[in-house]
């Protein structure tokens, strides 16, 4: 350790040119608290000495580093000292970040912000060292409005994105500024906290977020957050929504909103994952505007079974394809169709219904017998010219017993 407190008297005499040359200020022996304080107080009388002291203190020698932090921790006139240090040694903050404890970093951070002009604070951001430090903090306790405004300006000018930042009840913090200007990352912890704060700190909102994350957000009064997510929907879905294992109870409107998002904004691959992830079944297939997702709805069994949905898909695919066969082979899906009889009256009410589908269903042998029965039972039409060559005997018996066949020219 160095002794920076040795007694010096008559400093004005000591500093006279003939007693202490400017060149002496390049030596470690010049590092004395009283001498430096005196030069700081009389900077205009000793400009060369002032510059030389701070140039020496910027050399990162053991003596210089020890002197800087001892001075900051023990001396009174630190304002002028800090200004000199930052001007000639802007790397000081990078040194602090790399070498000091969290407690010391916090102490010097508040010290610098109190004592420096804003333009000088910005100069500390060498290699993004100040930006990195601030973004790692999770709270601030601003002593006054001026300090808080300085913090807000730093956050804006350094474009800081907090991983997490919290408000402190009864304290002055830049939380509102951070939230309203999107200076935070879209991660689950941060989003959940914002919804919690903006929901009057109702802790039950956390349970809702676990099960139906985006639905809960859309139902909350967090307009800035909603817009931030909408502008970064791909990032939100991939990194947050799909990453929550328990998030499987989004309501239908929410799922449709996501599936109908422009593909340039939300990748199709993520939409497919949403369909697979969520338990909800879509009530009407044509609510999903991207028809290339219809096949996924069938294959994942995420569509409510109805003749309208089946016919709409059939019209789109222009065939009774494997996806539709697989979907209808789920007995629950085919059983749902028993609720409606398909006949001329139904056709009048649903002009888009394709009756060709009914014929293809009858002629298809790929259905299990229970599903096949369900699919043909409510067919109100009779046929004389069916191709039954691929049907097994059990299915033909179903057709005969249900009087769907008229015995005429049957192949």
């Amino acid at each position: 350790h160095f002794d920076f407190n040795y007694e010096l008297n008559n400093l004005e005499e000591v500093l006279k040119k003939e007693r202490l040359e400017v060149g002496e200020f390049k030596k470690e022996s010049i590092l004395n608290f009283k001498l430096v304080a005196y030069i700081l107080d009389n900077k205009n009388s000793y400009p060369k000495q002032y510059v030389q002291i701070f140039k020496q203190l910027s050399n990162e020698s053991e003596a210089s580093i020890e002197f800087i932090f001892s001075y900051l921790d023990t001396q009174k006139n630190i304002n002028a000292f800090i200004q000199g240090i930052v001007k000639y040694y802007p790397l000081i903050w990078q040194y602090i970040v790399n070498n000091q404890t969290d407690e010391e970093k916090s102490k010097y951070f508040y010290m610098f912000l109190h004592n420096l002009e804003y333009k000088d604070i910005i100069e500390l951001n060498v290699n993004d060292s100040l930006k990195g430090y601030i973004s790692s903090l999770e709270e601030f306790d601003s002593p006054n409005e001026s300090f808080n405004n300085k913090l807000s300006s730093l956050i804006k000018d350094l474009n800081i994105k907090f991983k997490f930042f919290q408000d402190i009840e009864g304290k002055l913090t830049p939380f509102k500024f951070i939230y309203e200007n999107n200076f935070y990352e879209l991660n689950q912890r941060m989003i959940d906290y914002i919804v919690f704060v903006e929901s009057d700190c109702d802790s039950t909102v956390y349970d809702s977020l676990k099960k139906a994350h985006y639905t809960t957000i859309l139902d909350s009064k967090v307009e800035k957050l909603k817009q931030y997510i909408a502008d970064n929907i791909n990032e939100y879905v991939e990194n947050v929504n799909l990453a929550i294992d328990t998030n499987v109870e989004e309501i239908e409107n929410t799922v449709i909103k996501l599936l109908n998002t422009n593909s340039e904004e939300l990748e199709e691959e993520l939409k497919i994952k949403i369909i697979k992830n969520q338990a909800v079944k879509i009530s009407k297939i044509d609510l999903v505007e991207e028809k290339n997702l219809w096949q996924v709805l069938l294959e994942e069994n995420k569509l409510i079974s109805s003749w309208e949905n089946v016919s709409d898909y059939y019209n789109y695919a222009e065939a009774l394809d494997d996806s539709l066969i697989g979907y209808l082979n789920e007995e629950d899906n085919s059983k749902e169709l028993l609720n409606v009889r398909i006949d001329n009256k139904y056709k009048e009410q649903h002009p888009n219904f394709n009756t060709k589908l009914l014929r293809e269903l009858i002629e298809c042998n790929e259905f299990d017998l229970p599903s096949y029965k369900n699919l043909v039972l409510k067919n109100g039409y009779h046929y004389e010219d069916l191709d039954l060559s691929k049907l097994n005997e059990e299915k033909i018996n179903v057709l005969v017993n249900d009087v769907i066949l008229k015995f005429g020219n049957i192949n």
Side-chain angles (χ1 to χ4, degrees):
H1 289 284
F2 301 87
D3 180 13
F4 305 122
N5 262 319
Y6 58 86
E7 196 63 32
L8 281 177
N9 297 312
N10 300 319
L11 285 170
E12 190 175 354
E13 286 294 316
V14 172
L15 284 165
K16 279 185 178 175
K17 192 173 180 187
E18 62 270 16
R19 297 284 304 276
L20 200 57
E21 296 286 342
V22 172
E24 295 288 321
F25 282 79
K26 295 179 180 179
K27 298 177 181 176
E28 284 181 359
S29 55
I30 209 71
L31 297 179
N32 175 274
F33 288 152
K34 285 189 176 178
L35 179 61
V36 169
Y38 184 82
I39 288 174
L40 288 173
D41 288 340
N42 300 277
K43 170 167 100 166
N44 293 335
S45 301
Y46 307 104
K48 292 180 181 177
Q49 291 90 335
Y50 173 87
V51 170
Q52 201 55 59
I53 279 179
F54 284 108
K55 280 188 173 178
Q56 183 186 168
L57 288 174
S58 71
N59 65 15
E60 293 195 349
S61 69
E62 187 181 353
S64 294
I65 292 296
E66 188 173 329
F67 183 87
I68 289 170
F69 293 108
S70 296
Y71 196 100
L72 290 174
D73 292 343
T74 62
Q75 301 304 297
K76 291 179 181 176
N77 184 19
I78 61 169
N79 182 279
F81 182 76
I82 289 173
Q83 289 174 17
I85 282 291
V86 170
K87 181 176 181 180
Y88 291 96
Y89 181 33
L91 287 169
I92 186 165
W93 183 255
Q94 181 172 279
Y95 178 88
I96 290 170
V97 166
N98 291 338
N99 296 280
Q100 305 279 37
T101 65
D102 287 346
E103 189 177 340
E104 288 168 331
K105 288 174 198 173
S106 179
K107 176 176 71 175
Y108 295 127
F109 174 73
Y110 278 87
M111 189 184 288
F112 285 5
L113 259 66
H114 271 299
N115 288 282
L116 287 171
E117 293 291 322
Y118 184 74
K119 62 181 176 59
D120 297 322
I121 297 172
I122 290 287
E123 293 299 315
L124 292 172
N125 191 41
V126 178
N127 296 323
D128 279 344
S129 54
L130 185 61
K131 179 178 181 176
Y133 174 72
I134 295 175
S135 67
S136 72
L137 298 176
E138 295 193 348
E139 61 182 50
F140 291 119
D141 182 4
S142 301
N144 53 55
E145 196 68 49
S146 171
F147 187 92
N148 205 51
N149 291 339
K150 205 181 274 188
L151 267 178
S152 298
S153 295
L154 270 177
I155 291 163
K156 179 185 175 188
D157 291 341
L158 298 178
N159 193 27
I160 289 168
K161 297 283 188 180
F162 290 91
K163 288 183 174 62
F164 181 75
F165 192 84
Q166 63 183 346
D167 208 7
I168 310 172
E169 192 174 351
K171 301 283 187 181
L172 190 59
T173 81
F175 174 80
K176 188 176 181 185
F177 177 82
I178 290 166
Y179 164 56
E180 291 186 348
N181 294 280
N182 303 338
F183 289 117
Y184 59 93
E185 293 180 8
L186 283 174
N187 61 61
Q188 185 190 352
R189 186 182 177 210
M190 189 73 240
I191 291 171
D192 290 4
Y193 181 73
I194 288 169
V195 176
F196 167 70
V197 170
E198 297 298 314
S199 302
D200 300 323
C201 300
D202 178 5
S203 59
T204 61
V205 80
Y206 281 114
D207 292 329
S208 302
L209 285 161
K210 283 178 189 172
K211 300 176 204 167
H213 200 260
Y214 197 33
T215 302
T216 306
I217 292 167
L218 293 174
D219 286 346
S220 302
K221 298 171 184 174
V222 284
E223 302 312 315
K224 293 279 186 182
L225 174 60
K226 290 178 197 176
Q227 190 57 51
Y228 189 23
I229 288 175
D231 292 341
N232 299 272
I233 192 67
N234 211 77
E235 178 188 346
Y236 164 75
V237 169
E238 184 169 22
N239 299 334
V240 182
N241 195 282
L242 290 171
I244 304 169
D245 292 340
T246 53
N247 183 45
V248 295
E249 296 179 30
E250 302 281 16
I251 64 169
E252 182 186 18
N253 283 350
T254 301
V255 173
I256 289 169
K257 180 181 175 70
L258 289 170
L259 298 183
N260 287 344
T261 301
N262 190 309
S263 285
E264 292 175 6
E265 297 169 19
L266 183 58
E267 295 166 10
E268 186 177 315
E269 181 185 346
L270 294 178
K271 294 180 181 182
I272 292 170
K273 287 182 179 178
I274 290 167
I275 293 170
K276 291 180 176 181
N277 234 31
Q278 294 303 320
V280 70
K281 292 191 175 190
I282 304 302
S283 56
K284 294 184 177 179
I285 198 169
D286 59 2
L287 291 173
V288 178
E289 293 163 6
E290 288 188 34
K291 293 186 177 181
N292 51 338
L293 294 173
W294 289 10
Q295 186 175 2
V296 184
L297 291 172
L298 264 64
E299 290 175 353
E300 296 299 322
N301 199 16
K302 295 297 171 66
L303 181 68
I304 288 177
S305 182
S306 71
W307 282 114
E308 290 95 324
N309 285 338
V310 171
S311 176
D312 283 348
Y313 178 80
Y314 175 78
N315 289 339
Y316 159 69
E318 298 181 336
L320 180 60
D321 63 11
D322 291 342
S323 300
L324 186 52
I325 291 170
Y327 174 77
L328 293 173
N329 241 339
E330 294 281 341
E331 193 173 350
D332 286 345
N333 292 336
S334 62
K335 196 179 285 184
E336 275 296 314
L337 302 179
L338 290 172
N339 294 323
V340 178
R341 180 172 176 81
I342 306 297
D343 52 21
N344 287 327
K345 185 178 178 184
Y346 179 88
K347 174 66 175 169
E348 285 173 16
Q349 294 171 343
H350 302 85
N352 291 330
F353 184 83
N354 194 336
T355 53
K356 281 172 60 181
L357 165 65
L358 299 175
R359 178 183 290 272
E360 282 206 51
L361 290 174
I362 292 168
E363 295 177 347
C364 179
N365 196 48
E366 294 179 47
F367 295 110
D368 299 332
L369 190 62
S371 291
Y372 187 80
K373 282 181 179 179
N374 294 336
L375 292 171
V376 302
L377 192 61
K378 292 294 182 173
N379 186 336
Y381 293 95
H382 301 288
Y383 303 89
E384 295 183 359
D385 55 348
L386 293 169
D387 179 4
L388 307 181
S389 59
K390 294 174 184 171
L391 287 187
N392 60 33
E393 189 176 343
E394 287 179 312
K395 291 190 175 77
I396 293 173
N397 287 335
V398 169
L399 298 177
V400 172
N401 293 336
D402 290 333
V403 201
I404 286 170
L405 290 179
K406 276 191 175 179
F407 293 98
N409 299 321
I410 299 172
N411 297 318

